[in-house]
Amino acid sequence: MGIEVRNINKHFGEFVALDDVSLDFSSGELTALLGPSGCGKTTLLRIIAGLEHADSGRVLLDGEDASGRHARERQVGFVFQHYALFRHMSVFENIAFGLRVKPRKQRPSEAEIRSKVMQLLELVQLDWLADRFPSQLSGGQRQRIALARALAVEPRVLLLDEPFGALDAKVRKELRRWLRRLHDELHVTSIFVTHDQEEALEVADRVVLMNKGKVEQAGAPDEVYSHPASPFVYGFLGNVNLFHGRVHEGVLEAAGQAFAAPDHARTQDAKGIGFVRPHDIEVDRYAPGAEGILVQLRRAHAIGPLAQLELEREDGPDTIEAVIPAEHFRQLQLKEGETLVVRPKRLHVFVDRQSL
Ligand SMILES: Nc1ncnc2c1ncn2[C@@H]1O[C@H](COP(=O)(O)OP(=O)(O)O)[C@@H](O)[C@H]1O
Ligand SMILES: [Mg+2]
């Protein structure tokens, strides 16, 4: 089922939680809703589910205005961060719950319920846990059961609100891969809320970045990563070094260097910032006449295949973070305190619109 969100606004008192949000979620797609805590992700999800009313705007489910439709009628499955399993019910009964509470006419027979629940348990690969109680499960297992329970009523949309948020890093990683495979089998239109950019980029077909109640950018993971639409998106999707300077006719002058900024060929003398990822910084030992920005090596540590360098600019208090292959780092035999020269290999320039 496709979901269209049209000009949704939501206030809590004076506070603007959602500010004119419009989005399309294609049928069968897995979309990650990504943004910092408090940016409005849960509020948007609850409005789509019908658990919360928008002040204005519309939600269309398969092209049909859902405003008048109660949460129950929207056929939406919901999985929350905090395990919402019923403690006093076995795993089997937790999954069967949504089927047992259906109106008598739609309620499946006991045999049908049993077969459906076992099928779902196999789907989430936990059929051996049917008779256990939630307290006897690990956090990751509980969330998989919560997902099976949400799927039992065959929702047309699956909404997952930081479902792995309370789990440790290793389990989270396993579960997001598992969720991706599950989605490839089922193709239920799904919205997955997270504040973890790595999780969003890895799991989703499409990523929607939100900030302060607004949509900053929506697109395929590699699209938002390679072509961030705003400084916020650039900064949120990974570590970044900033070079403040001025942009004039396609050139950013910063840190005593001139960088090409072809997107800003017609800009006349404006404030600009060059954004550079740590792995796009080239590092060399200083030699007289070397081109680049002079820095001092403050700290370096090489764990695994990469070395992380903390560098301090000689022309000011700014720190630069560089990540280079550990092998290259060892060949250079760099010492802390040494003077080095760095060159940004790839730099993305944003112009401060207010200074134009
Ligand atoms: N029921 C509520 N009453 C008052 N403020 C709320 C309520 N629900 C959410 N908010 C506020 O709205 C903002 C967005 O919340 P939320 O949608 O939960 O953000 P996120 O899920 O992105 O962390 C937060 O600042 C939160 O405090
Ligand atoms: Mg939330």
Side-chain angles (χ1 to χ4, degrees):
M1 176 159 79
I3 306 167
E4 293 161 67
V5 170
R6 292 283 167 266
N7 310 102
I8 293 279
N9 288 286
K10 178 71 185 176
H11 292 71
F12 292 109
E14 293 286 286
F15 182 79
V16 182
L18 294 173
D19 185 359
D20 197 29
V21 170
S22 292
L23 284 166
D24 286 317
F25 301 92
S26 301
S27 184
E29 244 181 13
L30 172 56
T31 304
L33 206 55
L34 174 67
S37 178
C39 74
K41 305 180 297 292
T42 295
T43 304
L44 180 59
L45 222 56
R46 289 174 56 82
I47 288 172
I48 292 172
L51 298 169
E52 185 95 64
H53 281 291
D55 299 335
S56 60
R58 298 193 304 161
V59 174
L60 305 171
L61 301 176
D62 259 350
E64 227 178 89
D65 196 328
S67 313
R69 302 242 302 272
H70 195 272
R72 238 176 290 123
E73 302 165 73
R74 295 192 188 190
Q75 294 180 276
V76 164
F78 219 118
V79 179
F80 303 93
Q81 172 173 350
H82 294 290
Y83 324 120
L85 297 179
F86 302 120
R87 289 158 191 274
H88 59 286
M89 285 185 195
S90 68
V91 162
F92 183 96
E93 287 304 327
N94 262 281
I95 299 174
F97 180 78
L99 301 170
R100 293 204 195 287
V101 297
K102 281 193 172 205
R104 186 165 304 215
K105 275 191 197 141
Q106 296 163 30
R107 199 182 308 156
S109 70
E110 193 54 38
E112 282 164 342
I113 290 177
R114 171 152 291 276
S115 131
K116 176 97 201 179
V117 171
M118 289 321 287
Q119 206 184 324
L120 284 161
L121 275 167
E122 271 166 41
L123 184 72
V124 300
Q125 297 160 336
L126 292 176
D127 45 333
W128 46 288
L129 292 178
D131 299 326
R132 301 262 183 103
F133 282 82
S135 63
Q136 299 170 302
L137 309 182
S138 72
Q141 289 169 342
R142 279 182 224 178
Q143 288 307 72
R144 281 153 72 183
I145 298 300
L147 197 67
R149 192 178 64 174
L151 290 170
V153 293
E154 297 180 10
R156 295 161 76 199
V157 173
L158 195 57
L159 304 175
L160 305 144
D161 194 357
E162 312 218 22
F164 311 140
L167 307 173
D168 67 53
K170 191 164 173 286
V171 177
R172 285 174 75 118
K173 220 167 175 155
E174 279 168 23
L175 281 187
R176 71 188 187 227
R177 295 193 175 146
W178 169 83
L179 177 71
R180 181 65 235 187
R181 287 196 301 272
L182 187 74
H183 183 264
D184 288 339
E185 263 179 64
L186 300 176
H187 285 295
V188 180
T189 311
S190 304
I191 307 178
F192 177 89
V193 166
T194 177
H195 62 263
D196 178 335
Q197 83 279 5
E198 200 183 290
E199 193 164 87
L201 294 173
E202 188 181 311
V203 87
D205 299 312
R206 208 160 141 269
V207 177
V208 172
L209 269 122
M210 287 183 61
N211 185 29
K212 297 185 183 155
K214 281 180 185 292
V215 173
E216 290 265 340
Q217 191 174 3
D222 62 331
E223 192 181 320
V224 294
Y225 187 83
S226 314
H227 304 286
S230 66
F232 169 81
V233 173
Y234 202 107
F236 199 77
L237 291 182
N239 289 343
V240 64
N241 294 293
L242 304 184
F243 295 93
H244 294 265
R246 297 205 78 82
V247 178
H248 183 65
E249 297 184 351
V251 176
L252 168 73
E253 295 225 14
Q257 312 282 307
F259 300 105
D263 292 346
H264 305 286
R266 284 196 226 129
T267 300
Q268 299 289 319
D269 193 37
K271 265 195 210 167
I273 307 175
F275 284 66
V276 186
R277 299 260 181 237
H279 58 257
D280 286 329
I281 301 258
E282 208 168 64
V283 179
D284 265 317
R285 172 167 280 116
Y286 172 74
E291 296 264 328
I293 303 163
L294 293 188
V295 296
Q296 246 189 39
L297 180 60
R298 278 269 158 260
R299 250 180 71 74
H301 54 103
I303 298 167
L306 296 172
Q308 205 171 353
L309 313 183
E310 194 185 306
L311 309 158
E312 193 173 302
R313 269 166 64 173
E314 297 219 322
D315 63 348
D318 287 351
T319 302
I320 296 177
E321 188 195 330
V323 171
I324 63 172
E327 204 178 302
H328 182 50
F329 172 71
R330 279 189 285 270
Q331 281 163 358
L332 287 171
Q333 296 191 311
L334 302 177
K335 306 216 166 32
E336 291 182 3
E338 194 168 354
T339 300
L340 308 174
V341 60
V342 301
R343 285 174 298 273
K345 282 185 287 187
R346 194 177 320 150
L347 174 134
H348 199 98
V349 177
F350 289 102
V351 166
D352 183 351
R353 295 280 151 206
Q354 272 151 20
S355 76
L356 286 175

